[in-house]
Amino acid sequence: MSKVVTGASMSLDGFIAGPGETGFEHLFAWYQSGDVPIASTHPEIPFNLTPSDAAYLQAWLDGVGVYIVGKRLFTLTDGWGGVHPADKPIVVVTHTVPEQWIAEHPEAPFTFVTGGVKEAVDVARGIAGEKMVGVSGGDVARQCLDQGLIEEIWVDIVPVLLGGGVPLLGELADAPVLLEDPEIVAGTRVTHLKYRVR
Amino acid sequence: MSKVVTGASMSLDGFIAGPGETGFEHLFAWYQSGDVPIASTHPEIPFNLTPSDAAYLQAWLDGVGVYIVGKRLFTLTDGWGGVHPADKPIVVVTHTVPEQWIAEHPEAPFTFVTGGVKEAVDVARGIAGEKMVGVSGGDVARQCLDQGLIEEIWVDIVPVLLGGGVPLLGELADAPVLLEDPEIVAGTRVTHLKYRVR
């Protein structure tokens, strides 16, 4: 069965977005810190990385078969116009299905789930096959963690302090949650840490 | 002039203490994860670390000449009974000088400063000589950072999610604050990251 993993670029002080949805130019600076290109479906979101960061990101992109995202990220990006930058199918956890958006994006490989994160993970596993299910950080990842569904946390720690904003996970139902020591990959404008949940 | 550095053991989600002053058994598990002893003035706070963690901690202990702490940590520890575990002089930033505590601990190398963090750093530099001034995490470190007084941040990231509590720094006056990429030392139940403030 496919592994369920959450990952995010996070400031050293623990935020995946700054106050008022700011700070992304810092959180994702490592996507443009070198000259190794990685394919993107969106030319306005180029990936040009250092060799070690490119290898790390490519392994993530190759490993993930489907992403689960929450309504916040879906709304913030307008569903990436129906095509995720990494060209993956997407499962959106939401309370209401955006019928108009679906009508406007008939080809989009997006599935909208209203039954909560457990249903979303079941649906995503069906899509992922042997690959990983990637859960975006924030509320949805926290709900998955609270239900014991997250097996690994891949955090890209960015050398910036944002001072507030959207936390990686937020208030947990069953804190503390112990993790194993991470695999570490030093990057440029980022430090990659891969943790297994105990 | 001596360098001003803040450092703390921090959960992956950014807290130096869990909700209600909990979680210390996880945050400081790396102090007891090996068999290399480091001297402590308090036998009830033993340091027995792995070789790499011991080398890292010893470099910190050798490098710091004085600690600046806030009222929270002073109160929480009752001023360590007048003797810091690392046997260093202490500058306490406080609104009111604890005359009774001072009378009860006449030998304690503690200085109480009521003029704010700038005065505390000036006083601490006078004590530190060529060594570093170590500022404990939390409110005092944030006030120092806001005033441009912090040059390095040494974070010991612990593989635990606490879900809430006392943040490393909290809301900053001038976020975002950019840091350089860190020096990294992999540890046991900890990952040490040393950042320079840009």
Side-chain angles (χ1 to χ4, degrees):
Chain A
M1 199 162 60
S2 66
K3 192 159 63 176
V4 182
V5 174
T6 188
S9 285
M10 182 182 91
S11 65
L12 178 61
D13 52 351
F15 300 102
I16 61 170
E21 302 293 352
T22 60
F24 299 115
E25 73 277 26
H26 304 300
L27 289 170
F28 298 106
W30 66 279
Y31 283 180
Q32 278 104 48
S33 64
D35 52 15
V36 179
I38 285 184
S40 166
T41 58
H42 288 234
E44 78 279 13
I45 311 175
F47 297 124
N48 291 293
L49 302 94
T50 64
S52 71
D53 291 321
Y56 179 89
L57 182 60
Q58 193 67 58
W60 167 260
L61 293 171
D62 290 347
V64 171
V66 58
Y67 289 107
I68 298 177
V69 306
K71 192 65 184 302
R72 174 187 153 268
L73 188 55
F74 176 79
T75 303
L76 190 66
T77 62
D78 189 34
W80 298 277
V83 182
H84 187 270
D87 207 13
K88 307 280 185 185
I90 303 291
V91 175
V92 184
V93 183
T94 180
H95 292 293
T96 54
V97 176
E99 301 292 355
Q100 191 184 336
W101 188 93
I102 293 172
E104 288 165 4
H105 303 84
E107 304 293 320
F110 280 51
T111 307
F112 296 88
V113 166
T114 57
V117 295
K118 179 74 174 63
E119 183 188 334
V121 167
D122 287 343
V123 168
R125 280 191 163 127
I127 297 170
E130 294 301 304
K131 293 198 169 191
M132 296 190 289
V133 172
V135 180
S136 64
D139 271 354
V140 170
R142 188 196 66 245
Q143 292 173 43
C144 287
L145 189 72
D146 282 344
Q147 298 195 30
L149 298 167
I150 299 284
E151 286 156 82
E152 293 185 7
I153 302 176
W154 296 34
V155 181
D156 307 309
I157 297 193
V158 174
V160 67
L161 301 167
L162 293 175
V166 180
L168 174 65
L169 292 159
E171 274 187 51
L172 305 173
D174 286 309
V177 173
L178 287 166
L179 315 172
E180 301 296 340
D181 277 319
E183 287 177 45
I184 303 167
V185 176
T188 297
R189 304 307 298 159
V190 67
T191 304
H192 309 286
L193 302 176
K194 284 172 59 173
Y195 291 91
R196 282 196 66 80
V197 178
R198 270 200 178 169
Chain B
M1 197 162 62
S2 66
K3 192 160 62 176
V4 182
V5 174
T6 187
S9 285
M10 182 181 90
S11 65
L12 177 60
D13 52 350
F15 300 103
I16 61 171
E21 302 293 353
T22 59
F24 299 115
E25 73 277 28
H26 304 299
L27 289 171
F28 298 107
W30 67 278
Y31 283 180
Q32 278 103 48
S33 63
D35 52 16
V36 179
I38 285 184
S40 167
T41 58
H42 288 234
E44 78 279 14
I45 309 176
F47 297 125
N48 291 293
L49 304 93
T50 64
S52 70
D53 290 322
Y56 179 90
L57 182 61
Q58 193 66 59
W60 168 260
L61 293 171
D62 290 346
V64 172
V66 57
Y67 288 106
I68 299 177
V69 307
K71 192 65 185 300
R72 174 187 153 268
L73 188 55
F74 176 79
T75 304
L76 190 66
T77 63
D78 189 35
W80 298 278
V83 183
H84 188 270
D87 207 12
K88 307 279 182 184
I90 303 290
V91 175
V92 183
V93 184
T94 180
H95 292 290
T96 53
V97 175
E99 302 291 356
Q100 192 184 335
W101 188 92
I102 292 171
E104 289 166 4
H105 303 85
E107 305 292 322
F110 280 51
T111 308
F112 295 87
V113 166
T114 57
V117 295
K118 179 76 174 63
E119 182 187 334
V121 167
D122 288 342
V123 169
R125 280 191 165 129
I127 297 169
E130 293 301 303
K131 292 200 170 190
M132 296 189 290
V133 173
V135 181
S136 65
D139 272 354
V140 171
R142 188 196 65 246
Q143 292 173 44
C144 287
L145 188 72
D146 282 346
Q147 298 195 29
L149 297 167
I150 299 283
E151 286 155 83
E152 294 185 6
I153 303 176
W154 297 32
V155 181
D156 307 307
I157 298 192
V158 175
V160 66
L161 300 167
L162 293 175
V166 179
L168 174 65
L169 293 161
E171 273 186 53
L172 305 173
D174 287 309
V177 174
L178 287 166
L179 314 172
E180 301 296 340
D181 277 318
E183 287 177 46
I184 303 167
V185 177
T188 296
R189 303 309 297 158
V190 68
T191 304
H192 309 286
L193 302 176
K194 283 172 58 173
Y195 291 91
R196 281 196 66 79
V197 178
R198 271 202 178 169

